[in-house]
């Protein structure tokens, strides 16, 4: 385990370093923020002062070196627009994003696994076919279009649910969350469902495939031969085998959910980091974009790590030490 | 039920698979009996319907398969008439089954103790944890697994193939069944382990009175183990009798072919005999004897009608119009 941890940590560090370079160069290429930051009336000296202030007069490698040095101290730069540390700005908005991301993942599991099991057990029944047809829609309809339709139907026409914002929040361990207030919950529902749609379809398909595959296996037959009930065979023997791939994929998808949240957050004006990213890209606020991408990379690394550990817990055949 | 009631009596069993391509008559009019402490060898090439016969007795035939006719008298009462909910209480407690591939029969993600204890508790909810544990240890010890206490906490992948098959056998023994159906349980194992398991199986039948159906495609296995033997071909039993009699004096041409294709010491160096042709497809079997296209003795009559069962000697049964009678090999 210790060997695994050390190796994992050094690999992660290397990935971060490479990513930071790519991101830094990439963001440098997308445009010159000075045009947007300096008012049109400003004179030559004013302009030069701003450029020097932001450190944009230095060569790229020097800027990068300075950024790296600072980042080891926990400083990922200062937003050009807000004039606040980029890291702080992102962390402030992170709980909102994590909240819809987790809500979406939980929805996809509690809806996807039971529906997938039903569809896998009775593949030819009409209800199974219905489940699979709907899941194809979930896969193929674009998230933003479904989001707009949901706003149209549930907010505009029916007026049941609010269309934007986070609603009332309360602090949970010092972190503001929506799901503990009624108002917050109503605000959370539409964006969470919107974000979950794709994942639900994915989990349904994975579960169904796993169900069909596992039901044909000898161990199922043997379990029945022991005289076990259907419930015991399906919910203990088969489910536990299916959970291995489902948990892996859902866990790995958590990173994607957070990344995809950009679209959902924009549509529902959900004040998360995805929305901050989009705004910052428009304003060419480089430090925020760089910090966002690096934080996302860190998040992916952490998620992958947790998934690996969880995987080894679920599947006794997997031992972390033996992985190379 | 009196003392003479056989443990299992299968009568005219027909198990068919209704597939899109047609009806597969995997088991077609099969009858046999196994008494207490008796070992019955069920022999035949692969695809002849041995496994489906075993699953039929367990009530584990998967759709599109179905028992379409016949009776399965277990201790005198007909299982084929039971609803699945009652059949379940017999599976694993009165009749146990061991499968061919020990690498696939245990659930990879559950510990051995979980898989053993549930087999006890499925039939007796009142067994407490200590009692169940004690029985698991005892059963693992019985099949020769060293330090069973520790091994109970292991997962299947921590066992070798031979050990896994022993675990499967231990599970089968847990509830002291009256009948064990062993479906080629040693085919995937190497020869020494196979010999050990065969020895223990025989001992078990003798000592506890458990009836044993030993399914195999290997005549040599059956020769040393079984009391009686049923030779199966294309869903039917074509020859039945005491094991020495059938092996010494096979009457059905198919049995003869099987025996001829066993490698043996005195024939070393000569090419192994092989029955010509292939097992026929069980969908739309032609009228007449299913073996006739591969049979040296086949005559016109063989194509006319499926041969009925005849009883050429006490305890012998064959389905053949032109059997080898009177002449030894
Ligand atoms: N699920 C199934 N669907 C259709 N045919 C089947 C099915 N299971 C078994 N069969 C057919 O039943 C016949 C007997 O199979 P089996 O009992 O497994 O043979 P054996 O155990 O003697 O090798 C085979 O021809 C096989 O094709
Ligand atoms: Mg078989």
């Amino acid at each position: 385990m210790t060997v695994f941890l050390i190796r994992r940590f050094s690999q992660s560090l290397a990935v971060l370093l490479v990513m930071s370079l790519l991101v830094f160069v990439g963001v440098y290429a997308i445009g010159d923020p000075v045009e947007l930051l300096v008012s049109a009336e400003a004179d030559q000296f004013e302009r030069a002062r701003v450029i020097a202030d932001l450190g944009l007069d230095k060569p790229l490698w020097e800027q990068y070196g300075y950024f790296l040095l600072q980042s080891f101290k926990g400083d990922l730069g200062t937003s050009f627009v807000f004039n606040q540390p980029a890291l702080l700005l992102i962390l402030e908005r992170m709980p909102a994003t994590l909240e819809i991301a987790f809500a979406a993942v939980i929805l996809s599991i509690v809806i996807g696994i039971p529906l997938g099991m039903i569809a896998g057990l009775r593949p030819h029944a009409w209800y199974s076919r219905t489940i699979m047809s709907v899941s194809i829609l979930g896969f193929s309809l674009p998230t933003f279009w479904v989001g707009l339709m949901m706003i149209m139907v549930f907010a505009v026409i029916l007026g049941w649910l609010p269309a934007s914002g986070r609603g009332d929040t309360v602090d949970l361990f010092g972190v503001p969350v929506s799901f503990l207030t009624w108002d917050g919950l109503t605000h959370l529902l539409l964006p969470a469902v919107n974000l979950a749609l794709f994942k639900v379809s994915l989990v349904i398909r994975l579960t169904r495939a796993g169900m069909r595959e596992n039901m044909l296996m000898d161990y199922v037959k043997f379990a029945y031969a022991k005289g076990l009930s259907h419930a015991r065979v399906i919910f203990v023997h088969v489910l536990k085998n299916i959970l291995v791939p489902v948990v892996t994929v859902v866990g790995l998808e958590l990173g994607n959910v957070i990344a995809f949240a950009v679209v959902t957050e924009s549509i529902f004006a959900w004040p998360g980091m995805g929305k901050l990213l989009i705004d910052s890209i428009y304003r060419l606020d480089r430090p925020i974009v760089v910090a966002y991408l690096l934080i996302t990379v860190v998040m992916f690394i952490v998620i992958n790590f947790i998934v690996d550990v969880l995987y080894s817990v679920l599947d006794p055949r997997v031992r972390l030490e033996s992985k190379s | 039920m009196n003392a003479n009631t056989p443990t299992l009596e299968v009568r005219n069993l027909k198990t068919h698979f209704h597939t899109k391509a047609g009806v597969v008559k995997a088991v077609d009019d099969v009858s046999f009996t196994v008494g207490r402490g008796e070992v019955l060898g069920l022999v035949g090439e692969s695809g002849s319907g041995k496994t489906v016969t075993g699953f039929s007795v367990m009530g584990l035939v998967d759709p599109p398969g179905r028992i379409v006719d016949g009776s399965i008298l277990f201790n005198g009462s007909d299982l084929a008439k039971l609803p699945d909910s009652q059949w379940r209480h017999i599976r694993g407690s009165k009749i146990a089954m061991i499968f061919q591939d020990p690498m696939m029969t245990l659930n990879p993600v559950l510990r051995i103790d979980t898989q053993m204890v549930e087999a006890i508790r499925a039939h007796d909810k009142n067994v407490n944890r200590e009692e169940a544990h004690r029985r698991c240890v005892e059963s693992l010890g019985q099949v020769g697994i060293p330090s069973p206490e520790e091994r109970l906490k292991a997962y299947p992948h921590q066992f070798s193939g031979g050990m896994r098959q022993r675990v499967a056998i231990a599970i089968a023994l847990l509830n002291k069944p009256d009948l064990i159906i062993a479906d080629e349980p040693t085919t995937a194992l190497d020869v020494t382990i196979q010999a050990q398991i065969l020895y223990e199986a025989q001992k078990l039948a003798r000592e506890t009175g458990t009836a044993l159906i030993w399914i195999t495609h290997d005549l040599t296995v059956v020769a040393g183990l079984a009391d009686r033997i049923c030779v199966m071909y294309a869903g039917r039993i074509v020859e039945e009798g005491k094991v020495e009699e059938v092996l010494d004096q096979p009457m059905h041409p198919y049995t003869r072919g099987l025996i001829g294709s066993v490698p043996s010491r005195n024939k070393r160096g000569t090419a192994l005999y092989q029955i010509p042709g292939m097992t026929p497809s069980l969908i739309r079997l032609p009228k007449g004897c299913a073996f006739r296209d591969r049979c040296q003795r086949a005559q016109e009559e063989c194509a006319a009608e499926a041969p009925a069962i005849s009883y050429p000697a006490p305890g012998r049964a064959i389905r053949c119009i032109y059997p080898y009678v009177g002449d030894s090999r």
Side-chain angles (χ1 to χ4, degrees), chain A residues 237-307:
Chain A
H237 282 253
V238 177
L239 188 58
K240 197 146 188 236
N241 276 279
I242 292 178
L243 279 183
V244 176
V246 171
V247 165
T248 314
V249 172
V250 169
L252 293 175
E253 285 285 315
L254 182 63
N256 275 336
V257 173
I258 292 169
F260 264 110
V262 173
V263 176
T264 301
E265 284 177 10
S266 304
I267 296 169
F268 292 91
W270 184 265
M273 28 182 230
K275 190 161 182 316
L276 176 70
L277 173 73
I278 296 287
D279 295 345
S280 302
I281 290 174
Y282 281 131
R283 297 185 202 125
L284 295 177
D285 196 348
R286 281 184 199 164
I288 294 206
V289 176
V290 172
Y292 173 90
L293 291 174
L294 288 184
I295 288 175
T296 311
V297 172
V298 170
M299 230 142 47
F300 266 95
I301 290 173
V302 171
I303 290 169
N304 283 355
F305 175 73
I306 295 174
V307 168

Side-chain angles (χ1 to χ4, degrees), chain B residues 17-19 24-27 44-53 62-65 100 183-184 215 232 280-282:
Chain B
F17 289 85
H18 299 263
T19 65
V24 181
K25 298 182 175 172
V27 176
E45 286 170 305
S46 90
S48 55
K50 307 182 297 291
T51 299
V52 175
T53 305
D62 282 328
Q100 178 166 1
D183 186 2
E184 313 208 24
I215 298 175
M232 219 172 158
S281 152
L282 296 183

Side-chain angles (χ1 to χ4, degrees), chain A residues 106-125:
Chain A
I106 290 170
L107 275 178
S108 67
I109 289 174
V110 298
I111 298 174
I113 290 183
L115 289 185
M117 287 178 75
I118 293 171
L121 273 178
R122 297 264 176 281
H124 303 297

